[in-house]
Amino acid sequence: MRLTRAGEYAVRCVLYLARRGPGALVSRKEVAEEADIPGQFLAKIAQQLARQGIIEIMQGAGGGYRLSTDPDRITMLEVIETIIGEIALNDCVLRPGSCGNSDICAVHRVWGEAQARLRDHLNGVTFADLLAEEERLRG
Amino acid sequence: MRLTRAGEYAVRCVLYLARRGPGALVSRKEVAEEADIPGQFLAKIAQQLARQGIIEIMQGAGGGYRLSTDPDRITMLEVIETIIGEIALNDCVLRPGSCGNSDICAVHRVWGEAQARLRDHLNGVTFADLLAEEERLRG
DNA sequence: ACAAATAAGATATGTTTAGTCTTATATCAA
DNA sequence: TTGATATAAGACTAAACATATCTTATTTGT
Ligand code: SF4
Ligand code: SF4
């Protein structure tokens, strides 16, 4: 895998929305400025998050973004994989056909297990957890 | 992180050398053909592995590559990081200065822990383990 | 001296990333 | 119903990176 800039921005965006409260409708401009994300780039990312159902986008004057569900039901894995696709440490894990050896390859198994552990770990972290940790760090 | 093609080739190269026996001197041509690696590209990768002390390169006629130590003392992490640099899930983990928030950022901690776990896991797999697993799969 | 083999640097080539630009569409409010 | 505000969607661009290959030099054994 590789966390691209877009993936990092997606996490920042969702975290900022979570921080503003579950129901808050926040303009793209505000998110972009406060979370330090290039505005137009954020637009692309938000559209992907919306397609995935993680956020809702309101168009037109007074529009903006809001979370479509509670922060404790959104995990880091979801947000990241929405943007960069399924996390894969080696291509052969995602597409076993890409290497003819994959069914008898010992290395393949190592990648598979490492990937599974990483995904499980990230899937265990919700944005509610992140908010709570932020509180702890601040206070 | 991201396992590049070069990283994958490095693992294949070391695994092939381990398979041929710890002391065996194997020509680049043989490694390239048997492990399915473009010859000149393998040369570059081998040079990096040699600089790191993982393999030894003998120049001149009758030259080639050999492991410089036992397969049970070479881990996947070592080989991979020799080629692609330290595994990093997010840039801020490797270079905290790259994001001003890193010391108060809850997300940062998640990346840090995930990265540590992944590296530990890969550091626990030696090429002797891989050879043993290959035996098990074959037999 | 010659042949075999790797070293090292320069040079493509293709893909991905990161971001911008432009035009269209939706919404609110006067 | 018109204008201002805001996002949608797709085309486009520039830079970085990955994946090699080519060329010339150097090393080594016979
Ligand atoms: S050799 Fe093994 S690890 Fe490498 S690509 Fe093929 S299956 Fe995957
Ligand atoms: S916001 Fe947090 S996770 Fe993102 S780059 Fe900065 S420190 Fe790292």
Side-chain angles (χ1 to χ4, degrees):
Chain A
M1 75 142 296
R2 168 175 176 195
L3 185 68
T4 58
R5 211 101 181 111
E8 160 72 20
Y9 290 157
V11 172
R12 283 191 206 177
C13 170
V14 173
L15 184 58
Y16 183 75
L17 293 177
R19 211 181 283 146
R20 287 291 312 273
L25 182 64
V26 185
S27 74
R28 183 181 79 191
K29 191 159 180 282
E30 177 179 337
V31 176
E33 282 171 1
E34 298 297 321
D36 197 25
I37 305 170
Q40 301 264 48
F41 199 14
L42 173 56
K44 297 295 179 197
I45 292 162
Q47 284 157 30
Q48 291 180 265
L49 292 172
R51 257 177 251 134
Q52 188 68 20
I54 294 172
I55 68 173
E56 281 173 9
I57 303 182
M58 299 300 170
Q59 283 196 38
Y65 309 146
R66 82 155 60 94
L67 294 186
S68 38
T69 178
D70 275 351
D72 65 357
R73 297 190 52 201
I74 310 176
T75 74
M76 276 186 63
L77 187 71
E78 268 181 86
V79 171
I80 292 159
E81 292 199 336
T82 294
I83 306 298
I84 69 174
E86 182 174 336
I87 286 178
L89 296 181
N90 195 354
D91 197 54
C92 64
V93 178
L94 217 54
R95 307 202 336 266
S98 69
C99 178
N101 291 345
S102 60
D103 39 340
I104 58 160
C105 175
V107 185
H108 183 84
R109 315 231 158 173
V110 175
W111 288 121
E113 194 179 342
Q115 166 167 344
R117 287 193 195 189
L118 175 57
R119 295 183 77 238
D120 280 355
H121 183 193
L122 294 178
N123 203 35
V125 180
T126 69
F127 281 80
D129 294 335
L130 292 175
L131 285 182
E133 176 71 0
E134 270 189 356
E135 274 309 308
R136 210 186 58 72
L137 284 173
R138 194 162 328 176
Chain B
M1 75 145 290
R2 168 174 175 194
L3 186 68
T4 60
R5 211 105 178 106
E8 161 72 21
Y9 290 157
V11 173
R12 284 191 205 176
C13 170
V14 173
L15 184 58
Y16 183 75
L17 293 177
R19 211 182 284 145
R20 286 290 313 274
L25 182 64
V26 186
S27 75
R28 183 181 78 191
K29 190 160 181 282
E30 178 180 337
V31 176
E33 283 172 1
E34 297 298 320
D36 198 25
I37 306 171
Q40 302 266 46
F41 199 14
L42 173 56
K44 297 295 178 198
I45 292 162
Q47 284 158 30
Q48 292 180 265
L49 293 172
R51 255 177 253 136
Q52 188 67 22
I54 294 172
I55 69 172
E56 281 173 10
I57 303 183
M58 298 301 170
Q59 284 196 37
Y65 308 146
R66 84 155 60 93
L67 294 186
S68 38
T69 179
D70 274 351
D72 65 356
R73 297 189 52 199
I74 310 175
T75 74
M76 276 186 63
L77 186 71
E78 267 181 87
V79 171
I80 293 159
E81 293 199 338
T82 294
I83 305 300
I84 68 173
E86 182 176 336
I87 286 178
L89 297 180
N90 196 354
D91 196 55
C92 64
V93 179
L94 217 53
R95 308 202 335 266
S98 69
C99 178
N101 291 345
S102 58
D103 40 339
I104 58 161
C105 174
V107 184
H108 183 82
R109 316 232 155 170
V110 175
W111 287 121
E113 195 180 341
Q115 167 167 345
R117 287 194 195 187
L118 175 57
R119 294 184 75 237
D120 280 355
H121 183 193
L122 293 177
N123 203 36
V125 180
T126 70
F127 281 80
D129 294 334
L130 292 174
L131 285 182
E133 176 71 0
E134 270 189 355
E135 273 311 306
R136 210 187 57 74
L137 284 172
R138 194 164 326 176

